Amino acid sequence: MTMVLASTAFDVSSQSNFVAYWGQSSAGSQKSLGEYCGDSSIDVIVMAFLYQFPNTKLDLSATCRSTFPGSELLHCPDVAADIKKCQSQGKAVILSMGGAAGAYGFSSDDDGKKYADTVWDMFLGGSGSQRPFDDAVLDGVDLDIEGGSTAGYAAYVAQLRSHFEASSDKKYYITGAPQCPFPDAMLGSTLNSAWFDMVFVQFYNNFCGLDAYPQGFNYGQWDTWAKSQSANKNVKLYIGAPGSQSAAGRGYVDASTINSIASDIRSKYTSFGGVMTWDASQAFDASSWGQSVSSALKSGGSKKRALEPLQGRFISTRSANVTAGAMQVKLELVEGSDVYISDTENTFGFHVRIQSADQPIRQGWELHIPLPVGVSVAQASAQAHNIRVHDNTLVVVDGSSINENMAVAFRVAGQHIGNEFGLPDPAKIMLYTTA
């Protein structure tokens, strides 16, 4: 059998990719793989699932029921033709292993290595005698591990990587789909030690999902992992989202909302790679949720004006003066009744007064307040303002103008907050306005 090593135009470094899982017909019915690939909205199709291993079993719902003679292993020539069609249109097609209802796992690193050889021969660039998709060569493997043991997966990925490196025919990818609570209970150790190209974080069915944005949405934790713990410091993170209300128990947000969230995350984090959805049958129904989200990604997201720092002289006291042209702004850390320290609640509060001396600050501003070294902030709040924590910096975003002076009161909570916690240094606070 001659392998068909289709070359894709998929760009893993992009921040506008749209990924869709396909195969489980979660909406009750689904189109063929080829039909979904005919939609320019999709960049990556993840086929779900290889739900049993190392005794290999596939399930693609009603799309493929035929098997090899005398075997329970699916044989899907029609799907094979669709894989080639997708790849010819510049899309990557990846096989997902695991899922929520599979029977799978390894007992040792040696088991993982051996099964990597099997997957290489059955689905990728190898030459197995029984290949479910015949001569079609998939673009990689996804790990959606939600049960069983954590053993063997890092060794599995490393062995697959050795096959990838020995083959110069095409580019292959390893992806993962952890739950959003960090670290992921099943994939956490593997994500830290193995090389992943893309990670599709499932921001649904959990407290840290899209419905918890912005306060409880923990993309920032995953960004920190990507840049400090991941074996691949350029790994791309995706916002995993349900494609409709019925696609998940919780976490669904409409297209307009996720477009706004994705635009915000994209503007703040270079790790952002795009949006992943579960699944194609839900996201590409009559609502056109998938098309809307993909279109926003590819147009650069919601329009966001460039931020201009107010350049000026900071003084290392309790206040700082900055200027931008004729505009003078004073930033002052203010003590008062709403400044407090609580050892029992592990919280700390303060507020910043922003004073416009000459003329109103133009509509739209951001305030960046670096917190003292050694303080790990878990959450923060500022009444009537959009606030988040990134790289131990409080970031406040507001679309209003500042006419005379404004006080922004903060309540922060985290580790090592108590009597040792001092006020942030005003000299390091940055105020930005939109151009």
Side-chain angles (χ1 to χ4, degrees):
M1 181 184 295
T2 301
M3 298 298 105
V4 177
L5 301 172
S7 177
T8 74
F10 169 67
D11 180 8
V12 71
S13 66
S14 172
Q15 288 190 301
S16 61
N17 286 321
F18 189 84
V19 178
Y21 278 75
W22 169 88
Q24 288 303 293
S25 188
S26 70
S29 62
Q30 65 184 4
K31 299 175 185 177
S32 70
L33 177 63
E35 288 179 277
Y36 285 113
C37 283
D39 192 319
S40 61
S41 302
I42 301 175
D43 300 289
V44 180
I45 288 276
V46 184
M47 300 170 60
F49 286 105
L50 197 174
Y51 75 100
Q52 186 169 311
F53 58 84
N55 180 24
T56 304
K57 287 188 179 180
L58 288 164
D59 178 62
L60 298 175
S61 190
T63 301
C64 177
R65 296 295 193 193
S66 62
T67 61
F68 287 100
S71 170
E72 293 183 348
L73 181 64
L74 291 182
H75 182 211
C76 312
D78 290 344
V79 176
D82 282 349
I83 291 170
K84 299 173 195 175
K85 175 182 177 181
C86 294
Q87 292 171 331
S88 71
Q89 295 176 354
K91 305 178 191 299
V93 185
I94 293 170
L95 177 63
S96 185
M97 298 172 54
Y104 50 80
F106 305 123
S107 60
S108 66
D109 284 353
D110 190 51
D111 281 349
K113 291 178 182 178
K114 289 178 180 177
Y115 196 64
D117 294 337
T118 298
V119 168
W120 175 254
D121 284 337
M122 291 181 71
F123 302 103
L124 303 171
S127 55
S129 59
Q130 290 186 328
R131 292 177 59 91
F133 308 121
D134 293 333
D135 60 350
V137 178
L138 293 173
D139 296 295
V141 174
D142 173 63
L143 294 180
D144 180 13
I145 308 304
E146 302 185 31
S149 168
T150 62
Y153 289 106
Y156 168 83
V157 173
Q159 182 68 5
L160 270 185
R161 287 279 175 199
S162 69
H163 286 295
F164 297 173
E165 292 166 4
S167 173
S168 59
D169 296 314
K170 64 178 290 178
K171 173 70 176 176
Y172 294 95
Y173 304 98
I174 297 290
T175 70
Q179 309 288 313
C180 63
F182 184 87
D184 181 79
M186 298 308 303
L187 271 181
S189 59
T190 303
L191 288 169
N192 286 342
S193 57
W195 185 285
F196 285 78
D197 299 286
M198 295 170 277
V199 173
F200 311 135
V201 184
Q202 298 181 46
F203 286 107
Y204 48 92
N205 291 336
N206 271 299
F207 62 88
C208 43
L210 287 160
D211 54 342
Y213 177 87
Q215 299 286 352
F217 186 67
N218 70 335
Y219 185 100
Q221 279 188 297
W222 285 97
D223 176 77
T224 298
W225 164 81
K227 294 173 180 175
S228 63
Q229 293 178 267
S230 172
N232 175 14
K233 299 301 187 293
N234 293 314
V235 63
K236 284 298 183 182
L237 302 179
Y238 286 67
I239 296 176
S244 73
Q245 190 75 53
S246 61
R250 61 175 292 187
Y252 170 76
V253 295
D254 61 29
S256 176
T257 300
I258 193 172
N259 290 345
S260 176
I261 294 172
S263 178
D264 176 55
I265 296 300
R266 181 178 187 168
S267 70
K268 303 296 195 304
Y269 301 99
T270 57
S271 62
F272 179 74
V275 172
M276 171 277 283
T277 189
W278 176 268
D279 66 350
S281 69
Q282 305 260 11
F284 291 87
D285 59 8
S287 70
S288 299
W289 184 95
Q291 288 92 338
S292 176
V293 174
S294 178
S295 176
L297 285 169
K298 288 168 176 51
S299 66
S302 301
K303 296 289 185 179
K304 183 175 178 65
R305 292 173 292 173
L307 292 173
E308 296 180 342
L310 298 178
Q311 301 296 336
R313 181 172 62 90
F314 289 104
I315 54 177
S316 299
T317 62
R318 294 298 303 282
S319 63
N321 296 301
V322 297
T323 60
M327 183 167 59
Q328 296 183 3
V329 181
K330 182 177 183 180
L331 302 176
E332 182 181 7
L333 286 168
V334 182
E335 291 187 79
S337 59
D338 57 351
V339 175
Y340 57 88
I341 294 176
S342 170
D343 291 324
T344 57
E345 296 181 13
N346 206 30
T347 58
F348 180 86
F350 62 94
H351 68 270
V352 175
R353 178 174 294 146
I354 309 170
Q355 182 175 353
S356 178
D358 292 353
Q359 57 182 299
I361 292 178
R362 292 167 293 179
Q363 186 174 12
W365 52 272
E366 287 191 12
L367 191 66
H368 292 207
I369 306 175
L371 293 171
V373 175
V375 177
S376 177
V377 173
Q379 57 183 272
S381 60
Q383 188 173 7
H385 297 284
N386 183 357
I387 184 172
R388 65 184 180 84
V389 180
H390 173 55
D391 290 342
N392 228 39
T393 296
L394 298 182
V395 180
V396 188
V397 182
D398 199 295
S400 63
S401 299
I402 300 176
N403 294 315
E404 294 183 358
N405 68 67
M406 175 181 291
V408 183
F410 298 93
R411 176 186 177 93
V412 299
Q415 298 177 347
H416 307 299
I417 296 178
N419 291 325
E420 298 178 356
F421 185 83
L423 285 170
D425 183 355
K428 296 180 180 178
I429 295 176
M430 289 294 295
L431 178 68
Y432 299 83
T433 63
T434 51

